[in-house]
Amino acid sequence: MREWREHPVVWIAGFLLIAVMALVIHNLLGPPSGPGAPHEPAVKETTSREVELLGKTARDAQVLSLEGDWTLIRPKTRETYDGHLPGDVYSDLLAAGVIPDPYWGKNEEDVQWVSEEPWTYRKTLSVLPDFLEYDSVFLNADSLDTFCEVYVNGERAGEGNNMFLRKRLELKPFLKPGKNQIELRFKPARVEAKRIAESLDRPVPYIWHNRIPHMNLIRKVQCHAGWDWGVCLVGVGAYGDLSLRAVDVGRMEHVYTEQSHRKDRCDIKVFVELEATRSASAILEVSLEDQTKTFLTRVKKGPNRLSVKMTVEKPRLWWPVGYGEQPLYDLKVSMCGQTVHKRLGLREMEVIHSRLKDNDAYEKREGKSLGKGLTVRVNGVNVFCKGANWIPTDGLPSRTTRSAYDDLLSSAVQANMNMVRVWGGGQYERDAFYELCDEKGFLVWQDMMFSCSLYPATKDFLHSVRMEGIYQTKRLRDHPCIALWCGDNEVFGALNWYDESRSQRDKYLKDYLHLNQVLKEAVAEGDDTRLFWPSSPCTDPKRFGDGWSDDSSGDMHYWQVWHGNKPFSSYYDVIPRFCSEFGYQSFPSLTTVKTFADPSQFNVFSPVMEHHQRNVGGNQRIVTMFGKYFRMPSGFDDFLYLSQVQQSVAIKTAVEHWRRLRPICMGTLYWQLNDNWPVASWSSLEYGGRWKQLHYHAKRFYAPVMGCFKTFSGKYTGTEYLEVWGVNDTLEEVPCRVQCRLFDFEGRCLMEEKLSHTLPAQTSEMVARYAGKDRVPSPDQCFFVVDLCGGEGQSDWSHRNTYWFTEFKRCDLRDPEIKKRVFWEGEDLKVSLIAEAPAFFVTLDSGELQGTFTDNSFTLLPGETRTVSFYAQGRIQPLQLMEALTVQHLQGSYAWASDS
């Protein structure tokens, strides 16, 4: 008997039987976490004649828009107000004069009652009889925020509880010909979050930045409850498309594509997901640029997924900005009387996580072991990612418009950025955002919407997350701008932040791994063409690691300079593969401060100024750092100005160092690009889009070709050797003319050297080296300037960088006595400046006049004329700009200089 059981044929037969049984059970039950696989009907390409003989298989769909005027109802008092959707309750109450401007002073505290109550939006609409003759009449709501019950003519038709998941409800049974009433009844999210918290078997810690507890338990924008830069307005509303749609045969749920590139050819597989109301014949028509194909198929009731192939010969490839053009191909897909339009960018996208081929050489050069890199590769070209982190554009969702997106992204492009990271505590942005990124050539690091808190692992929560992940990846995957999907922001690291997770780490780690696995599977189902990066920071998907302290692999968040109060030189101690978060704060400009504070509050420690500072101790930290590097400013305006100088120096130090390290480091995304209300923060663009000094510096330290410095400390002058480096991100070698000069603070040139140097494509290398002990009389008496400009036959470009040998406060500067002039030059409004002595961080401010300068916060040498253009929002005259214009510089911020 024993010999029979050990026979290999018996074992093989047994394994095969088990495998067959498992396959049968899988096919019968479908995947355990979701519905069964959709029907995949065969498709047959056909001719127009066959289509004509078949006739129409479905009527053209009808769409009844629900956008526009609604009635907003406060159930607690039965008061009604004019409402508008898409939009939000706070915006409607503000327009009605019910609440004060929440951004002014401390008014935010006085409007918190709004989020404690339920709210209802009501609309009456007429429905024609033929609208109800279609197979299906459904509500399409791109985003209902967050706990919303839908009522039609007094009957409950359905509900939603995840604002990141599109809601489609069948409403035909509830509608009637003639007048109908639709109500969207919103429950207060903060109340629902508390109810869920009380139902759990153990607490789930949430980030201390949230002024409203337990927001991590619900699927809503986490920073609506406040952050360490954000206003707390937990509003409700509806965003994106809001409509009734009538369709025959079935509704198109998703259209997406998959690209396969060969030499001079791109095959595009087009997928169509259709939820069929009945089995029927159907016609599918696909148009891509100038070619159209028609297909016949037969769908079954329920979910169907069809796929067809199109081919583009000699495709025009889509490139990130700075690497090439951004051609977009028009795709039109029609089925069952419905049409979906998309614009495709044809490109190959990879994110490479591996060791450098020539690691040994770079390890020897930097004196440090190197791990796996993180490199974005487009069309076979490794791209150095230059950019910033993106947060929601406004605390009032109704103000998130295409024009707001366009303004911020245009400013980012002007600052030579090519990537934004959509941060996980915000929102999956609206279609217009990604469309603009496609058009401008912006890469997007896309977080899933989880940040800094821990999250529950209940069945209902994980199911909702899974559906959200599948929907969002299918919605966004055709945008060429999307570089990768990232599971969360700092959630893995947050396991070490809270008492509960530290004391019961295994339980909370298990919950995290469940969440991360669900996200990974959802992304794989929604888009298996891109890398899923489990968390940011993350050293390696297989081991995670400490991405705050370990710079050896993956992506890193480095916060020791701001949160750890370390000197700016600490950036030199870090050699990340990709730094996806680092930052330093500043105050906004006086013009922006005036939008939220009365002059009586013009002191950085006043109640209003501290209310508009959400990072605990942030104002104190800014002022304390002044003492390390600068002389204390005297007036309020000088405080604001100097904080922006300080912020610029911090981020400039980091970026220039890390760009010089390419290809060891292949990405820097500073925190953060924008603000969602007027506030002291890490942003380079103030609320409303005004450029801080940092944004002008970013334009220089993210320039395609840049000059920068590397120093070696020695016993003579604090800098024994000063190296001048060139960085070239372009795909071509660049001949440069290099001018290196040493000045004293009177403006006398102590040394000058002119060089010619050709920078190879996509590299960094040393251009010149100087021994400080031979050249520098005293660190506090001189500074160094390097100018790079195009060589013979090159386009007209230039890049200037300034190096200080010691802290700014140790240097006695004289008044540069800057003279200014404003004039027209053709269609451009120009400002020219000339100084009698060296001037540093020279900053022009246009006051109430909205616009941007082509350059700002720069070094102005004596005797040279510096001319910049001013691009105003609207037509203005030179006299207007001259009257509004102020010019600040470092010496002018010295307290003794201001008092004299």
Side-chain angles (χ1 to χ4, degrees):
M1 189 70 175
R2 181 179 179 184
E3 292 177 359
W4 176 82
R5 286 200 302 263
E6 292 179 351
H7 198 284
V9 174
V10 175
W11 281 105
I12 294 170
F15 280 130
L16 289 174
L17 179 61
I18 292 171
V20 170
M21 290 176 63
L23 181 62
V24 170
I25 293 171
H26 176 81
N27 289 336
L28 287 173
L29 299 180
S33 58
H39 173 57
E40 298 200 6
V43 294
K44 174 191 173 185
E45 188 171 358
T46 187
T47 65
S48 57
R49 177 59 179 164
E50 290 176 306
V51 171
E52 185 179 334
L53 290 173
L54 180 64
K56 272 198 168 185
T57 58
R59 289 173 289 180
D60 290 341
Q62 291 192 39
V63 179
L64 184 58
S65 176
L66 299 179
E67 298 179 9
D69 294 335
W70 288 65
T71 298
L72 175 61
I73 303 169
R74 184 184 181 190
K76 183 177 181 180
T77 63
R78 298 185 179 180
E79 295 172 282
T80 62
Y81 315 99
D82 291 336
H84 191 278
L85 293 179
D88 64 276
V89 169
Y90 274 108
S91 295
D92 286 334
L93 293 179
L94 180 61
V98 177
I99 61 172
D101 179 359
Y103 297 171
W104 175 261
K106 299 173 69 175
N107 285 347
E108 173 196 14
E109 297 176 349
D110 298 329
V111 301
Q112 292 303 308
W113 62 269
V114 175
S115 65
E116 298 171 355
E117 299 185 17
W119 295 90
T120 295
Y121 279 97
R122 176 185 294 162
K123 189 178 188 69
T124 300
L125 66 155
S126 294
V127 176
L128 297 176
D130 69 322
F131 196 79
L132 300 178
E133 292 174 1
Y134 282 76
D135 292 349
S136 171
V137 178
F138 63 95
L139 170 72
N140 183 83
D142 282 355
S143 178
L144 296 175
D145 183 3
T146 294
F147 295 92
C148 180
E149 295 179 311
V150 180
Y151 279 76
V152 180
N153 297 323
E155 294 186 73
R156 187 176 181 276
E159 66 176 349
N161 61 8
N162 184 335
M163 72 172 291
F164 303 130
L165 186 58
R166 179 183 62 190
K167 196 68 181 175
R168 287 184 157 178
L169 290 175
E170 182 60 49
L171 296 187
K172 186 174 178 179
F174 305 97
L175 294 167
K176 61 185 180 182
K179 291 189 180 298
N180 291 262
Q181 188 179 84
I182 294 183
E183 288 186 342
L184 305 177
R185 301 181 183 179
F186 292 94
K187 300 176 183 178
R190 62 194 298 168
V191 175
E192 291 300 300
K194 181 181 179 183
R195 177 186 61 79
I196 293 171
E198 292 170 348
S199 71
L200 298 176
D201 60 357
R202 66 174 180 272
V204 182
Y206 57 90
I207 187 67
W208 47 88
H209 304 322
N210 281 168
R211 296 192 167 197
I212 307 300
H214 312 306
M215 294 296 286
N216 53 325
L217 306 182
I218 63 177
R219 297 310 297 140
K220 177 176 173 61
V221 175
Q222 301 289 276
C223 66
H224 278 184
W227 215 263
D228 58 356
W229 39 258
V231 65
C232 176
L233 295 177
V234 188
V236 296
Y239 322 120
D241 179 77
L242 190 62
S243 60
L244 289 182
R245 302 184 184 186
V247 298
D248 270 341
V249 179
R251 67 179 186 231
M252 293 173 69
E253 292 290 279
H254 294 283
V255 172
Y256 49 89
T257 65
E258 185 175 312
Q259 301 176 21
S260 177
H261 290 261
R262 292 178 281 167
K263 182 175 175 57
D264 293 330
R265 182 171 179 171
C266 179
D267 294 321
I268 301 169
K269 200 171 185 180
V270 181
F271 295 91
V272 179
E273 293 189 9
L274 183 86
E275 184 70 26
T277 57
R278 54 185 167 88
S279 297
S281 296
I283 300 169
L284 170 63
E285 185 176 271
V286 180
S287 297
L288 184 61
E289 287 294 283
D290 56 355
Q291 56 178 313
T292 299
K293 292 184 179 182
T294 305
F295 305 88
L296 287 177
T297 188
R298 185 164 182 83
V299 299
K300 289 186 177 181
K301 183 177 181 179
N304 295 261
R305 189 173 86 150
L306 303 82
S307 63
V308 298
K309 190 174 82 170
M310 307 289 283
T311 298
V312 176
E313 303 288 350
K314 295 183 178 179
R316 294 170 291 121
L317 296 181
W318 182 96
W319 290 92
V321 61
Y323 289 83
E325 297 181 346
Q326 295 79 42
L328 297 172
Y329 287 76
D330 291 321
L331 174 70
K332 184 174 76 170
V333 179
S334 299
M335 189 174 186
C336 298
Q338 304 152 70
T339 299
V340 172
H341 294 269
K342 292 199 166 193
R343 301 180 75 199
L344 305 181
L346 306 185
R347 86 288 179 270
E348 293 183 278
M349 179 81 74
E350 302 173 85
V351 179
I352 311 300
H353 179 53
S354 61
R355 283 179 60 84
L356 294 168
K357 291 181 181 178
D358 47 1
N359 252 17
D360 292 343
Y362 290 103
E363 287 178 354
K364 183 178 179 180
R365 187 181 97 180
E366 299 302 330
K368 184 171 184 174
S369 62
L370 305 175
K372 293 181 179 180
L374 191 68
T375 303
V376 176
R377 181 177 295 165
V378 184
N379 302 325
V381 174
N382 291 344
V383 175
F384 192 102
C385 296
K386 303 179 291 190
N389 285 256
W390 176 280
I391 65 171
T393 63
D394 211 295
L396 296 170
S398 66
R399 297 181 182 178
T400 298
T401 62
R402 187 182 186 91
S403 63
Y405 284 144
D406 197 5
D407 180 63
L408 293 170
L409 289 172
S410 294
S411 289
V413 170
Q414 291 169 40
N416 293 308
M417 298 184 187
N418 60 21
M419 176 178 267
V420 287
R421 173 176 173 240
V422 178
W423 166 75
Q427 61 196 21
Y428 307 95
E429 293 294 347
R430 300 172 196 175
D431 291 344
F433 171 83
Y434 301 96
E435 291 166 1
L436 287 165
C437 287
D438 292 343
E439 294 169 9
K440 297 176 186 295
F442 243 68
L443 295 169
V444 174
W445 172 309
Q446 179 66 55
D447 280 1
M448 311 306 279
M449 292 301 118
F450 303 87
S451 182
C452 294
S453 300
L454 303 186
Y455 291 87
T458 62
K459 181 179 179 181
D460 287 346
F461 186 84
L462 293 181
H463 175 74
S464 183
V465 166
R466 174 179 167 79
M467 294 300 102
E468 168 192 322
I470 294 171
Y471 166 67
Q472 291 292 348
T473 48
K474 286 181 177 179
R475 175 175 81 95
L476 299 175
R477 61 176 285 171
D478 278 328
H479 290 285
C481 62
I482 303 279
L484 60 84
W485 307 106
C486 180
D488 64 67
N489 172 75
E490 299 186 347
V491 176
F492 179 76
L495 289 165
N496 299 317
W497 299 352
Y498 304 104
D499 292 339
E500 297 91 339
S501 53
R502 285 196 295 264
S503 62
Q504 303 180 67
R505 184 174 175 82
D506 289 350
K507 289 184 178 180
Y508 287 94
L509 176 60
K510 183 179 178 181
D511 287 350
Y512 173 77
L513 294 176
H514 280 165
L515 171 67
N516 198 260
Q517 183 64 26
V518 166
L519 286 170
K520 182 179 180 180
E521 293 171 356
V523 169
E525 182 171 339
D527 177 18
D528 61 358
T529 68
R530 290 177 175 85
L531 173 74
F532 174 75
W533 192 247
S535 181
S536 183
C538 179
T539 55
D540 193 292
K542 296 180 180 179
R543 62 181 177 88
F544 289 86
D546 181 2
W548 287 267
S549 303
D550 184 357
D551 61 355
S552 67
S553 183
D555 79 304
M556 182 185 198
H557 293 187
Y558 186 70
W559 281 103
Q560 287 302 307
V561 172
W562 173 258
H563 289 297
N565 291 313
K566 287 193 173 183
F568 298 156
S569 59
S570 297
Y571 288 120
Y572 297 138
D573 300 329
V574 182
I575 306 179
R577 304 291 82 74
F578 194 119
C579 199
S580 50
E581 261 197 41
F582 60 101
Y584 204 87
Q585 269 203 7
S586 71
F587 299 114
S589 66
L590 183 60
T591 300
T592 296
V593 169
K594 288 178 180 178
T595 67
F596 67 81
D598 182 86
S600 65
Q601 297 293 311
F602 285 3
N603 183 296
V604 295
F605 295 112
S606 71
V608 168
M609 288 299 293
E610 291 205 325
H611 184 79
H612 287 252
Q613 164 62 272
R614 290 309 167 85
N615 186 241
V616 176
N619 290 356
Q620 181 66 44
R621 193 172 284 116
I622 292 171
V623 174
T624 298
M625 191 64 85
F626 283 170
K628 290 184 179 180
Y629 292 100
F630 301 96
R631 302 185 184 186
M632 194 59 62
S634 59
F636 180 67
D637 199 4
D638 290 330
F639 264 86
L640 307 183
Y641 161 80
L642 193 59
S643 75
Q644 293 196 16
V645 171
Q646 181 167 261
Q647 178 191 35
S648 302
V649 171
I651 305 307
K652 175 181 182 291
T653 301
V655 172
E656 290 182 352
H657 170 55
W658 294 332
R659 281 193 67 191
R660 187 187 60 79
L661 294 175
R662 66 166 301 158
I664 300 169
C665 177
M666 285 301 288
T668 61
L669 306 176
Y670 63 75
W671 186 271
Q672 66 214 62
L673 180 68
N674 56 307
D675 282 326
N676 72 345
W677 74 313
V679 67
S681 82
W682 298 268
S683 72
S684 63
L685 295 174
E686 299 175 8
Y687 177 71
R690 181 180 288 266
W691 289 29
K692 289 183 178 178
Q693 291 184 52
L694 171 58
H695 208 75
Y696 289 101
H697 282 268
K699 186 177 180 179
R700 292 194 288 273
F701 62 60
Y702 279 151
V705 181
M706 174 191 74
C708 60
F709 305 98
K710 181 180 180 180
T711 60
F712 297 86
S713 295
K715 61 184 178 180
Y716 297 101
T717 64
T719 304
E720 186 172 1
Y721 293 105
L722 175 66
E723 292 181 354
V724 177
W725 281 64
V727 180
N728 177 16
D729 282 345
T730 74
L731 302 181
E732 305 288 340
E733 65 175 26
V734 177
C736 302
R737 288 175 290 137
V738 184
Q739 183 180 29
C740 300
R741 289 178 287 178
L742 182 70
F743 291 91
D744 66 17
F745 289 115
E746 292 294 321
R748 292 184 290 263
C749 184
L750 307 179
M751 181 276 291
E752 180 177 16
E753 186 172 8
K754 294 183 178 180
L755 309 166
S756 293
H757 190 92
T758 297
L759 288 171
Q762 293 197 289
T763 193
S764 68
E765 63 181 22
M766 188 175 67
V767 174
R769 192 182 197 196
Y770 300 97
K773 65 178 181 179
D774 298 330
R775 303 287 188 120
V776 180
S778 177
D780 59 358
Q781 294 178 10
C782 56
F783 63 98
F784 195 95
V785 174
V786 61
D787 288 289
L788 269 66
C789 58
E792 199 168 318
Q794 292 287 301
S795 59
D796 185 21
W797 65 269
S798 63
H799 184 278
R800 170 173 289 180
N801 210 339
T802 305
Y803 181 78
W804 293 60
F805 294 92
T806 188
E807 294 88 351
F808 303 96
K809 67 181 181 180
R810 301 187 186 281
C811 303
D812 284 330
L813 308 180
R814 56 166 285 194
D815 185 351
E817 300 183 47
I818 297 174
K819 295 180 175 59
K820 59 187 178 181
R821 185 169 72 93
V822 181
F823 58 96
W824 286 113
E825 186 173 279
E827 293 295 314
D828 290 342
L829 191 57
K830 300 279 189 175
V831 180
S832 68
L833 303 174
I834 189 167
E836 294 189 4
F840 305 95
F841 303 103
V842 177
T843 300
L844 297 85
D845 190 291
S846 60
E848 302 296 329
L849 298 178
Q850 295 294 313
T852 58
F853 296 93
T854 50
D855 199 6
N856 224 338
S857 193
F858 47 75
T859 296
L860 181 61
L861 298 177
E864 71 176 8
T865 300
R866 189 66 171 270
T867 301
V868 299
S869 297
F870 179 69
Y871 296 111
Q873 296 180 9
R875 183 79 172 178
I876 65 170
Q877 297 301 317
L879 182 60
Q880 290 176 273
L881 179 58
M882 189 69 176
E883 291 176 346
L885 188 67
T886 58
V887 180
Q888 293 175 285
H889 50 83
L890 185 60
Q891 188 269 352
S893 73
Y894 285 7
W896 62 266
S898 300
D899 294 339
S900 61

